[in-house]
Amino acid sequence: MLFISNGCSYISKTDESKSEITSQSIDIEKQDVLESEKLQSTEDLEKSLVSEVSEQKTYDNLWNMIQDELVLEGNANRKKVKDRIAWFGRNQQYVDRVVKRAEPYLYHIVTKLKERNMPLDLALLPIVESAYQPFAHSPSRASGIWQFIPSTGKRYGLKQNWWYDGRRDIVASTNSALTYLEALHKRFNGNWFHALAAYNSGEGNVERAIRRNKKIGKKTDFWSLRLPPETRSYVPSLLAIAEVLRNNDKYNINFKNIPNRPYFEIIDVKSQIDLATVSVLSGLSIDEVYILNPGFNRWATDPSGPHRILIPIKIAENFKNKLTTLPKSERVVWRQHIVQKGESLGLIAEHYKTSVSTIKETNRLRSNMIREGSSLLIPTAKKPNKFYSLSIDARKFRGLKTSDGKRYTYIVKRGDNLWDIGRHYGKSVNQLAKWNGISKKSFLRPKQKLIIWINDETHAKNKNVVQTTTTHNGSSTEYTVKKGDSLWLIARRFDIHVTDLLEWNNLRKNRPLQPGQTLIIRRNITGA
């Protein structure tokens, strides 16, 4: 209570006592607030530490790391996703094949995703795109584990020529794919579903679908858009494999352990090198060399680069030591060729399994004009063409057992399916089903025969042999003459004499050959 006396004011003892109590109460409240703030701060710190510990959690198995960091979820009950989950759940053998193919590449891909702070879900995208087949080739000419079509590959810096295709190069294509996905993610305002749909069908298709829905007042989420059928299945397939991985125990699907450590080392070999030499120096089979380096189309690396080779990390140091002591002359075999009458750079390049541009570059030729009698230096393969079992020519016919012109037979192996087979040979499931009179969903049986029609232009151009029979004197081959052929060129190709060709075929020396004409070629078996 306030009193006024002689113009002065004072507080009674009772009120003073109340004031002290009030003041103490305020101090206690302040202290409580401070304690509360301190407690909250401690909790935040603990949460932060827990988060940091979680981020720093170590994994022995890459699949466990991916499991823990999947972010695209919440759609497992949608019909398309459920259908794909059911399919994966029934196909352990398919998952086994995919995991085996992914093993050399997965650590590199996960590392690059983490460097860019991108969802690890995207490490599963090559399962949907290519089943992790580095040589997968779609009917739309998409290639590699990330399935770049030629134009998009060029747009994102992937070199493509006779020697090399960056769309299949694991290091180059992964870098370009992640750059492309980042660009799409930004373009679609952080919507990963839209970005993934655009990766499959193109930015324009998705943008037009969004604009169309906006115009008629519909939702613009992925599930509401009118997109191509393949794209409407594409995103659900990624979500399904992610769900199966996340809850693999629930779906009774096993993902075989892939160690969380580098599989390969990237080694700069400085210049062109024969892949047979890489095989010898590394101790790897030629197939293993190609599996790690699927970007190389032919028997050697591209003369103009890239000059990198991927080698398993456990043998990389030994390989580098051997490479250091390898004489330059042993990297690639060089041969001197004397130009004969009627020869062109194209014919010479075909004969030596090299490219016109390589011959021109090596010999500093400004044009395709060459003179009879002039000398050319040509890089050549150390081994026969069939040794390079996963070169572009060999892959086209790999696994095909018999042929009748362009009609080939494929013998089904355990775990095969139409999609995998089609991707390998660049054919669609519809084509395979139609050619063989079966359903697109048919279950394939081991040793079942499938008919595959392949445009054999390249193969025929190189071989051009239509029939071989064996007699008591040796082997007799029918050869079909093509445009530009001469007796000298054919004799050289089969390592025989022109006089023999004339005798075997009752030909006159100066009589010109006609395209389509059939010649008999006899070769002694004991000398073959």
Side-chain angles (χ1 to χ4, degrees):
M1 187 178 291
L2 181 64
F3 291 90
I4 300 176
S5 177
N6 300 323
C8 296
S9 62
Y10 61 93
I11 300 173
S12 71
K13 285 184 179 181
T14 305
D15 287 341
E16 188 175 348
S17 176
K18 288 180 181 179
S19 177
E20 284 181 11
I21 292 171
T22 303
S23 177
Q24 288 175 1
S25 178
I26 291 171
D27 287 342
I28 291 170
E29 287 178 6
K30 284 182 178 178
Q31 189 175 354
D32 287 344
V33 170
L34 288 172
E35 288 293 334
S36 177
E37 289 177 350
K38 184 177 179 182
L39 182 62
Q40 183 63 46
S41 177
T42 303
E43 288 176 356
D44 289 343
L45 180 61
E46 286 175 354
K47 286 179 181 178
S48 176
L49 288 171
V50 168
S51 178
E52 286 180 19
V53 169
S54 177
E55 288 178 4
Q56 294 171 5
K57 183 178 177 181
T58 57
Y59 296 88
D60 294 326
N61 179 5
L62 279 171
W63 295 119
N64 291 341
M65 178 190 291
I66 297 171
Q67 274 178 323
D68 284 357
E69 299 193 29
L70 292 170
V71 296
L72 303 178
E73 54 184 329
N75 296 277
N77 290 322
R78 291 186 178 274
K79 186 179 185 308
K80 282 187 176 293
V81 180
K82 287 172 73 175
D83 289 346
R84 294 304 294 162
I85 289 172
W87 188 90
F88 286 120
R90 293 192 303 270
N91 287 275
Q92 176 68 61
Q93 287 183 334
Y94 174 82
V95 174
D96 290 342
R97 290 201 306 276
V98 167
V99 169
K100 185 176 180 179
R101 294 188 200 117
E103 185 173 2
Y105 319 132
L106 192 64
Y107 179 87
H108 178 78
I109 292 170
V110 167
T111 299
K112 294 304 171 184
L113 285 168
K114 291 182 80 68
E115 284 177 4
R116 294 178 183 235
N117 197 29
M118 297 174 74
L120 294 194
D121 306 59
L122 300 179
L124 306 176
L125 195 59
I127 297 178
V128 180
E129 284 287 353
S130 63
Y132 264 106
Q133 291 189 61
F135 301 109
H137 185 77
S138 78
S140 60
R141 297 174 63 211
S143 193
I145 64 170
W146 296 101
Q147 289 290 281
F148 274 101
I149 59 172
S151 58
T152 308
K154 288 176 183 176
R155 178 153 52 114
Y156 282 89
L158 295 174
K159 181 179 179 181
Q160 299 160 58
N161 62 24
W162 191 85
W163 288 101
Y164 168 82
D165 192 336
R167 296 177 300 157
R168 291 196 307 272
D169 183 310
I170 299 304
V171 172
S173 67
T174 296
N175 182 60
S176 294
L178 301 193
T179 298
Y180 185 25
L181 285 163
E182 276 185 324
L184 291 171
H185 184 245
K186 183 177 181 180
R187 183 165 179 167
F188 288 97
N189 302 312
N191 188 314
W192 273 118
F193 284 14
H194 287 167
L196 289 164
Y199 187 88
N200 176 254
S201 65
E203 303 94 309
N205 279 331
V206 178
E207 286 173 336
R208 281 191 293 274
I210 291 172
R211 285 197 299 270
R212 187 165 50 240
N213 275 24
K214 281 183 176 179
K215 189 174 181 180
I216 59 178
K218 283 189 174 182
K219 294 179 180 179
T220 58
D221 62 285
F222 167 78
W223 306 101
S224 303
L225 298 179
R226 196 171 76 202
L227 294 167
E230 181 187 340
T231 308
R232 293 190 62 78
S233 297
Y234 177 82
V235 174
S237 291
L238 178 64
L239 297 173
I241 192 63
E243 167 65 17
V244 170
L245 174 61
R246 182 186 291 110
N247 296 298
N248 62 308
D249 289 340
K250 173 182 174 181
Y251 300 107
N252 197 29
I253 289 292
N254 177 52
F255 285 75
K256 186 180 176 183
N257 177 69
I258 294 182
N260 181 21
R261 58 175 180 266
Y263 187 93
F264 58 75
E265 183 176 332
I266 303 170
I267 298 171
D268 184 359
V269 296
K270 307 295 184 184
S271 62
Q272 187 180 32
I273 189 169
D274 193 311
L275 296 181
T277 302
V278 174
S279 175
V280 170
L281 294 182
S282 64
L284 299 172
S285 70
I286 193 66
D287 276 15
E288 290 171 316
V289 172
Y290 276 111
I291 290 294
L292 278 176
N293 302 276
F296 297 121
N297 290 333
R298 312 290 170 178
W299 51 269
T301 61
D302 186 343
S304 58
H307 296 306
R308 62 169 172 263
I309 291 284
L310 307 189
I311 296 291
I313 203 158
K314 59 186 177 183
I315 61 172
E317 199 61 37
N318 187 44
F319 174 80
K320 286 187 288 186
N321 291 337
K322 289 182 178 179
L323 185 66
T324 303
T325 60
L326 183 73
K328 190 174 181 180
S329 60
E330 291 187 25
R331 284 172 166 262
V332 175
V333 173
W334 295 86
R335 294 191 181 175
Q336 189 175 32
H337 177 85
I338 306 301
V339 178
Q340 304 297 317
K341 184 177 180 180
E343 282 191 320
S344 66
L345 282 180
L347 284 173
I348 295 170
E350 179 189 332
H351 178 76
Y352 288 106
K353 305 300 180 188
T354 189
S355 66
V356 170
S357 60
T358 298
I359 296 176
K360 289 175 68 176
E361 184 179 340
T362 302
N363 295 276
R364 299 181 180 178
L365 301 177
R366 294 183 178 179
S367 71
N368 288 346
M369 296 293 293
I370 51 176
R371 293 181 180 179
E372 181 183 354
S374 61
S375 175
L376 296 174
L377 195 60
I378 301 173
T380 58
K382 287 185 175 182
K383 299 282 188 178
N385 197 42
K386 65 181 180 180
F387 174 81
Y388 304 92
S389 53
L390 287 173
S391 64
I392 196 167
D393 292 330
R395 284 198 313 271
K396 191 172 184 180
F397 302 93
R398 188 177 175 92
L400 299 179
K401 303 298 182 185
T402 58
S403 73
D404 177 16
K406 296 179 181 179
R407 181 179 181 270
Y408 287 82
T409 302
Y410 177 83
I411 309 299
V412 174
K413 300 186 294 294
R414 182 174 295 279
D416 271 345
N417 59 61
L418 289 176
W419 190 90
D420 274 353
I421 296 168
R423 283 279 168 168
H424 182 80
Y425 295 106
K427 307 299 175 185
S428 69
V429 170
N430 285 339
Q431 285 175 313
L432 291 175
K434 184 177 179 181
W435 291 337
N436 291 278
I438 57 177
S439 164
K440 293 186 293 183
K441 298 181 180 180
S442 292
F443 178 77
L444 301 181
R445 302 180 310 277
K447 297 185 179 181
Q448 179 180 348
K449 293 181 179 180
L450 293 180
I451 301 303
I452 299 179
W453 290 83
I454 293 180
N455 186 339
D456 202 8
E457 289 176 1
T458 304
H459 192 61
K461 184 179 178 183
N462 289 336
K463 302 296 183 185
N464 223 30
V465 174
V466 295
Q467 183 179 356
T468 300
T469 57
T470 301
T471 69
H472 67 281
N473 290 322
S475 174
S476 174
T477 301
E478 291 184 1
Y479 175 83
T480 304
V481 176
K482 60 183 178 178
K483 188 176 180 181
D485 266 344
S486 67
L487 287 171
W488 183 87
L489 284 172
I490 296 169
R492 178 164 183 164
R493 181 173 295 150
F494 288 97
D495 195 22
I496 55 179
H497 295 289
V498 170
T499 52
D500 290 332
L501 275 176
L502 294 171
E503 181 184 341
W504 296 335
N505 294 279
N506 296 318
L507 297 175
R508 294 178 184 174
K509 187 172 183 180
N510 297 322
R511 186 175 180 178
L513 299 176
Q514 300 297 324
Q517 181 179 350
T518 300
L519 298 180
I520 299 298
I521 297 170
R522 293 175 183 167
R523 305 175 75 177
N524 193 311
I525 290 176
T526 58

